[in-house]
Amino acid sequence: MRWKGVVKLCSMFVQVVHKGYKIRQSGVKCLPQGVRNKVGFQSSCFLLYSVSQVLPDWEVIFPDRAVLSLDFMVHCAWSFVWDMRFNSIATCLPTPFYHNDLFQEIQVTEISRLRRFQFFIKKPIPMKKYLISLCTFWVLFFTGWQPNLFCLSPSANDLVFTDLATVWDEGIPLGNAIIGALVWQKGDSLRMSLDHVGLWDLRPMVNRDLLPVHNFQWVQEQVAKKDYRPVQQMYDVPYETSAFPTKLPGGALEFDTTELGKVDTVRLFLNNALCEVQWTDGARLQAFVHATENKGWFLFENVTGDFMPVLVTPNYRSSQAGDDNSHAGPELSRLGYVQGEVLRNGNTIVYHQPGSGGFYYEIAVSWHHTGQSMEGVWTILPKPEGDAQAVNIAEIVETALQQGFSQSYHTHNLWWKNYWAQSSVNIPDPVLAKQYYNEMYKFGSAARSYSPPVSLQAVWTADNGKLPPWKGDYHHDLNTQLSYWPCYAGNRLEEGLGYLNWLWETLPVNKRYTLDYFGVDGLAVPGVTTLKGEPMAGWIQYSFGPTVSAWLAQHFYLHWQYSQDRDFLKNRAYPYMKEVAVFLDNISVRDAEGKRKLPISSSPEIYNNTLEAWFHTTTNYDLGLIRFVFTAAEELASGLGLQDEAARWKTILSEWPDVDLDDENALTFARGFPYNESHRHFSNIMAFHPLGLIDWSYGERDRDIIAATIKKLEEYGPDWWCGYSYSWLGNVKARAMDGEGAAEALTIFAEHFCLRNTFHANGDQANQGYSKFTYRPFTLEGNMAFASGIHEMLIQSHTGTIRVFPAVPASWDNVSFEKLRAVGAFLVSARMENRNVSLLTVESEKGGTLRLMKPSSGHYVEASGKTLNETDGVWTVEMEPGEVLMLVLEHQTNLE
């Protein structure tokens, strides 16, 4: 009889799985109806708890490939079994369960919705059944219940195709901010294009040593003489004609798939950062780049023993013919490299490529066969000039191969699980939702606290026999800045730190440039730089622009605002801002009215690279950034108790003019230069977005400026916009509280300016009149700005007051988000049902005053024991570090 009970319990346990109770990282929708009230389910939960105590962080596979995470199992056991006295999940969930992101659809914070689940338990389970459950675990464990370190979690936002892309820039992207890969098809082979962030030819730009002589003063003199040709010859022409400095492509792995038949499906699993390719004849590839280790993995199943990779090297000897409309750079042969050597030793291949000045890099791949499967690992190592440390790259991959694909995937998957748990959004528009999650995936693949910033193409350098568009460099006149917009509200501050750490580490290089080119103390940063922060020139109105460092300083300010990390404020944010303020103070001159101005000014990229691109009055672009720096410097100094310094910055701010407006109250390019042409860079509106010096919440005057400025943008139209213009416009519209306009702009970006793998391609790929640009250079800033646009629609806090759902379209009846970050180090979760905000949860990391805009005219019925004060529609409450405020709201009026 006892064995019958065990068998019955096992049967009921398997029944749970077969009835569709599949638990994944993406969350649980609901338990099957037939299982809700079975006593056997509670017994099974205790069994799962027993398993979790023995095998922490493991996953268990059951029939039909259903996979249960033991991290989830422990919560199930605690929730449903540990205290059977309660009859509702809402009353028996323990505190650890509250923050379990695997249970996204059943959160204790969603009390009003949670009560509708009502998982009733008929009666407590006797200890006898507990013991049976525990015994059942061991029976199952020793009779085939196997631990599974490999599981996949598909989502509705995955990229899914029926074929492999046939060009490199449409390949499936994999990366970890240091190395990256693109999976595509070239000829009869599956190709993995390999890259490393450190692959750079760092030979200095032509005329670098002439900066102290041919400096900013010299440029002013040429502008005054209206003889700009010498400036172009000195700095612009070399950038166009010299192949270096530049980002370099790595190499590629190719697998001859002729015998594998036709591709059936190609899928990028966003949750797991893994690419899977299945062929109709049964072969399958799974590939990933490890999240924290600089290794890429591949596993082929149902292949023969002679199936193996071929390491393909870039061709540094001959020119690559053809034009793929990607704005590709010059041929690799222009670098003058000796072609690298490829050596094979057994199942390991090593490629050694010498570069310039003692630099070289190596790629290694190692593999082995087991039955009809082949698994392998690859890596790339750059060797900078002067680095004498010997590294055996073959030994690295051979040692990694012993660890195995599954074990490596397990640690990789844990990182991505934590990454996705940091925040989530739920929006009803499938186009925008898919694009959003792919953008956040790319951000997670391209940014780490220890990596250099996201460059133009990050770790996906061109694989077309040429150098990448714009040399794959770091553009600080827009590109790097937009690429980090989503890290703040998106609650990815850790990943965003890579940008700030790199800027801090390159301070000595930038200080030297400041003295060489501008001849003053303080901090300026080149607008176009190498991996080491050295200038690369180009159109110097922007590549040597005087306010580049001001826009970069905003990111130090934003990190402080969103983190409230006082050590960061004291040791990074204010010192960086102060250096920029000192520079702007030193470089300014006085106009005839006694106001400060720049000697010459520009507005990216108005009038391109002509003499007219230099304005004799300070542009709104430069003015907005300058006014921001002194405003922020005063605020940060005051926060540190440095009142004398704060007073100094306040005085200097008062000596600068305000931004210029035309007769219709719209922001101009500069005094006397109204916005009168279509242009890709919204440089004239910086004071509004992203700097927030002008804001919708500041009153009627600011609203008039914002409305008039956006009207001008739309009147002159998008003829010469790029894709990033639309994603930027999505942010602008959201800040103007125009949800319909924000959604429309972001939809145009997603549907017309992205390749099939969601890479931003700059031009209108459908050629349907959204831009006269129809080319396809791949850059990332438009992708990341898109994600920020979604955040701006769902939450805004840049004024210090948190607004939830400030700019959602009228058609979005049901929207929610979890743990988006707000200024003040608050983590906010909110739900809107039928256009009514029904739930708000705010967690305070550092404590302080919470200011929350009251949603519509409703009232809260629960507030975690707190009393909220209301003034002018804003709730305020003092919070302690770690405290959570939960507001359940009822009787909301329509947000329209």
Side-chain angles (χ1 to χ4, degrees):
M1 291 298 295
R2 277 180 284 182
W3 279 109
K4 286 184 179 180
V6 172
V7 171
K8 182 179 179 181
L9 181 58
C10 293
S11 174
M12 295 172 71
F13 193 29
V14 173
Q15 183 183 15
V16 170
V17 177
H18 278 285
K19 282 180 180 276
Y21 183 43
K22 295 184 179 182
I23 303 166
R24 303 189 303 268
Q25 288 182 11
S26 58
V28 181
K29 296 298 181 184
C30 186
L31 295 180
Q33 180 68 35
V35 184
R36 292 185 185 179
N37 297 321
K38 288 180 179 281
V39 173
F41 178 69
Q42 288 94 48
S43 298
S44 299
C45 287
F46 184 75
L47 183 151
L48 297 182
Y49 172 71
S50 303
V51 176
S52 69
Q53 300 306 290
V54 179
L55 306 173
D57 296 326
W58 281 31
E59 287 152 341
V60 180
I61 189 165
F62 291 95
D64 270 355
R65 299 171 64 89
V67 178
L68 306 184
S69 163
L70 290 187
D71 178 54
F72 177 84
M73 293 175 187
V74 65
H75 292 299
C76 279
W78 277 101
S79 303
F80 290 92
V81 179
W82 201 251
D83 192 346
M84 290 296 175
R85 293 170 298 175
F86 301 100
N87 65 358
S88 168
I89 186 173
T91 56
C92 70
L93 291 179
T95 300
F97 187 86
Y98 296 179
H99 306 292
N100 178 22
D101 295 286
L102 299 177
F103 226 128
Q104 291 176 5
E105 291 295 328
I106 308 178
Q107 297 256 354
V108 73
T109 55
E110 302 174 8
I111 286 183
S112 61
R113 184 167 181 264
L114 192 59
R115 286 172 177 163
R116 297 201 295 270
F117 279 85
Q118 293 295 310
F119 293 106
F120 288 107
I121 297 172
K122 290 183 177 180
K123 59 182 179 179
I125 299 178
M127 181 57 68
K128 182 178 180 180
K129 290 198 173 183
Y130 286 162
L131 296 175
I132 291 175
S133 299
L134 185 60
C135 294
T136 303
F137 157 65
W138 292 109
V139 171
L140 291 173
F141 185 77
F142 287 110
T143 57
W145 191 19
Q146 296 298 320
N148 177 45
L149 299 181
F150 187 89
C151 66
L152 294 174
S153 304
S155 79
N157 302 309
D158 291 348
L159 295 181
V160 183
F161 307 105
T162 57
D163 61 350
L164 284 162
T166 56
V167 287
W168 71 273
D169 55 7
E170 294 184 2
I172 298 294
L174 303 168
N176 67 2
I178 301 297
I179 63 172
L182 293 166
V183 181
W184 55 294
Q185 181 173 329
K186 187 173 184 180
D188 293 328
S189 296
L190 180 142
R191 185 175 176 102
M192 294 183 190
S193 305
L194 312 183
D195 194 14
H196 189 292
V197 73
L199 299 184
W200 266 85
D201 186 319
L202 289 171
R203 283 176 284 183
M205 75 174 205
V206 177
N207 297 332
R208 170 66 175 86
D209 292 337
L210 297 179
L211 282 181
V213 177
H214 295 88
N215 56 16
F216 191 47
Q217 179 63 41
W218 174 75
V219 173
Q220 295 172 51
E221 293 168 359
Q222 299 306 125
V223 171
K225 292 188 297 186
K226 297 185 178 180
D227 183 14
Y228 199 59
R229 183 65 178 166
V231 178
Q232 294 170 326
Q233 291 290 336
M234 180 62 61
Y235 296 126
D236 307 332
V237 173
Y239 179 86
E240 299 295 336
T241 57
S242 175
F244 57 82
T246 183
K247 179 73 175 66
L248 301 171
L253 296 176
E254 285 193 350
F255 304 84
D256 186 348
T257 56
T258 307
E259 303 299 323
L260 301 187
K262 184 177 181 296
V263 169
D264 181 41
T265 59
V266 179
R267 186 172 197 134
L268 171 61
F269 289 85
L270 296 180
N271 287 333
N272 315 106
L274 177 141
C275 173
E276 181 177 81
V277 183
Q278 299 202 43
W279 285 264
T280 54
D281 290 351
R284 180 172 68 170
L285 161 70
Q286 291 174 328
F288 66 93
V289 168
H290 196 283
T292 58
E293 301 173 6
N294 295 333
K295 303 177 184 69
W297 287 85
F298 53 87
L299 170 65
F300 283 88
E301 297 176 329
N302 296 319
V303 294
T304 60
D306 58 356
F307 188 82
M308 64 185 63
V310 174
L311 205 164
V312 182
T313 67
N315 189 343
Y316 289 103
R317 291 173 296 186
S318 60
S319 299
Q320 178 78 29
D323 180 12
D324 57 6
N325 197 29
S326 68
H327 207 77
E331 290 80 8
L332 297 178
S333 59
R334 293 274 303 281
L335 295 170
Y337 290 178
V338 174
Q339 186 64 42
E341 185 179 19
V342 178
L343 298 175
R344 177 174 175 181
N345 182 14
N347 282 0
T348 300
I349 304 175
V350 174
Y351 162 47
H352 177 91
Q353 177 58 58
S356 61
F359 166 81
Y360 69 87
Y361 70 90
E362 292 182 324
I363 302 177
V365 58
S366 188
W367 70 95
H368 64 70
H369 287 81
T370 304
Q372 291 186 310
S373 297
M374 179 191 73
E375 68 179 47
V377 59
W378 59 268
T379 192
I380 305 181
L381 284 178
K383 196 75 168 179
E385 179 183 0
D387 186 351
Q389 183 179 1
V391 177
N392 187 331
I393 192 172
E395 184 177 321
I396 290 174
V397 291
E398 289 168 355
T399 301
L401 192 61
Q402 296 174 12
Q403 179 185 19
F405 182 93
S406 293
Q407 183 62 45
S408 183
Y409 171 79
H410 179 59
T411 55
H412 158 82
N413 195 41
L414 286 177
W415 187 93
W416 278 97
K417 170 184 167 182
N418 292 331
Y419 175 80
W420 289 119
Q422 291 175 68
S423 69
S424 62
V425 307
N426 180 20
I427 57 178
D429 187 316
V431 171
L432 298 187
K434 185 166 189 172
Q435 190 76 27
Y436 172 80
Y437 274 101
N438 275 272
E439 308 307 21
M440 295 307 293
Y441 165 78
K442 287 194 284 293
F443 188 76
S445 300
R448 294 289 185 279
S449 63
Y450 48 81
S451 72
V454 177
S455 61
L456 292 180
Q457 293 88 28
V459 289
W460 301 298
T461 301
D463 183 11
N464 57 2
K466 298 184 179 183
L467 294 175
W470 300 287
K471 304 183 181 182
D473 57 32
Y474 297 92
H475 267 49
H476 301 310
D477 64 344
L478 175 149
N479 304 81
T480 55
Q481 290 94 330
L482 270 63
S483 292
Y484 283 87
W485 280 356
C487 79
Y488 303 108
N491 195 24
R492 266 74 178 193
L493 294 186
E494 179 69 17
E495 287 73 27
L497 273 174
Y499 189 29
L500 306 180
N501 291 339
W502 182 82
L503 289 171
W504 190 261
E505 290 164 4
T506 55
L507 265 174
V509 173
N510 298 153
K511 295 275 281 184
R512 175 192 167 200
Y513 157 79
T514 305
L515 283 171
D516 284 351
Y517 184 67
F518 291 103
V520 298
D521 289 330
L523 177 63
V525 177
V528 180
T529 79
T530 69
L531 175 68
K532 298 299 184 181
E534 291 282 359
M536 292 177 62
W539 295 359
I540 67 163
Q541 298 92 330
Y542 325 114
S543 64
F544 288 176
T547 57
V548 173
S549 58
W551 198 349
L552 298 176
Q554 190 205 15
H555 283 274
F556 283 87
Y557 175 80
L558 291 173
H559 185 89
W560 151 246
Q561 285 282 288
Y562 281 85
S563 71
Q564 294 295 293
D565 182 340
R566 289 196 63 83
D567 287 338
F568 182 86
L569 168 64
K570 179 181 178 181
N571 299 317
R572 292 289 177 90
Y574 181 62
Y576 199 93
M577 191 74 69
K578 179 179 178 178
E579 288 283 356
V580 177
V582 167
F583 165 72
L584 294 173
D585 179 25
N586 289 336
I587 200 176
S588 65
V589 296
R590 301 280 181 168
D591 63 16
E593 300 171 357
K595 285 287 190 179
R596 289 184 184 247
K597 58 171 284 190
L598 293 177
I600 52 177
S601 181
S602 66
S603 186
E605 296 160 338
I606 307 304
Y607 305 141
N608 295 325
N609 182 34
T610 64
L611 177 64
E612 290 72 25
W614 287 111
F615 293 79
H616 295 282
T617 58
T618 309
T619 63
N620 272 343
Y621 171 79
D622 284 337
L623 267 177
L625 287 165
I626 291 166
R627 293 189 65 83
F628 165 77
V629 164
F630 289 109
T631 301
E634 179 196 355
E635 176 188 330
L636 299 185
S638 295
L640 290 170
L642 305 173
Q643 299 307 325
D644 289 345
E645 293 187 24
R648 176 190 176 190
W649 307 135
K650 183 176 181 179
T651 298
I652 295 175
L653 174 64
S654 69
E655 296 170 350
W656 286 90
D658 203 350
V659 291
D660 187 69
L661 305 175
D662 65 14
D663 293 339
E664 299 175 28
N665 226 22
L667 290 164
T668 64
F669 293 128
R671 186 188 306 173
F673 293 88
Y675 185 90
N676 58 3
E677 64 177 73
S678 173
H679 202 274
R680 57 192 173 272
H681 194 307
F682 299 159
S683 52
N684 63 307
I685 72 169
M686 291 284 292
F688 168 44
H689 188 277
L691 301 176
L693 302 176
I694 299 169
D695 192 75
W696 194 263
S697 65
Y698 293 162
E700 185 175 349
R701 178 181 179 274
D702 281 28
R703 294 186 183 189
D704 288 345
I705 294 172
I706 294 166
T709 299
I710 293 176
K711 181 181 178 183
K712 281 291 182 73
L713 287 177
E714 294 177 330
E715 281 179 354
Y716 286 97
D719 281 358
W720 299 111
W721 290 7
C722 288
Y724 68 70
S725 310
Y726 282 96
S727 51
W728 191 349
L729 182 65
N731 287 263
V732 168
K733 291 275 192 174
R735 284 279 180 97
M737 307 302 170
D738 179 5
E740 306 291 344
E744 179 184 20
L746 296 178
T747 300
I748 292 172
F749 171 82
E751 293 184 338
H752 297 276
F753 289 85
C754 292
L755 305 176
R756 76 176 205 164
N757 61 356
T758 73
F759 276 177
H760 165 231
N762 278 265
D764 181 359
Q765 300 306 296
N767 196 14
Q768 293 187 358
Y770 290 104
S771 174
K772 290 184 178 179
F773 286 117
T774 56
Y775 62 169
R776 56 179 290 158
F778 151 51
T779 58
L780 282 163
E781 74 291 323
N783 293 117
M784 306 313 182
F786 176 97
S788 174
I790 296 296
H791 296 154
E792 292 281 356
M793 295 171 72
L794 299 178
I795 186 171
Q796 294 180 23
S797 63
H798 55 280
T799 63
T801 298
I802 300 172
R803 297 169 180 260
V804 297
F805 309 118
V808 297
S811 60
W812 290 15
D813 292 335
N814 300 299
V815 194
S816 65
F817 61 83
E818 296 288 336
K819 293 195 294 187
L820 293 183
R821 182 173 286 268
V823 166
F826 296 106
L827 298 180
V828 184
S829 302
R831 179 176 298 278
M832 184 172 71
E833 298 177 293
N834 299 319
R835 299 291 296 169
N836 293 325
V837 178
S838 57
L839 185 70
L840 268 170
T841 304
V842 182
E843 178 182 353
S844 175
E845 285 188 341
K846 300 297 175 68
T849 303
L850 170 68
R851 292 177 52 83
L852 183 65
M853 182 64 66
K854 181 180 177 182
S856 188
S857 61
H859 63 277
Y860 61 88
V861 293
E862 296 182 41
S864 303
K866 286 279 191 177
T867 299
L868 277 61
N869 300 310
E870 181 179 342
T871 304
D872 297 329
V874 176
W875 286 328
T876 60
V877 62
E878 292 299 320
M879 298 189 68
E880 298 296 325
E883 188 175 13
V884 177
L885 173 70
M886 182 175 59
L887 302 177
V888 179
L889 298 95
E890 289 184 356
H891 306 298
Q892 297 293 294
T893 58
N894 195 286
L895 289 184
E896 298 175 349

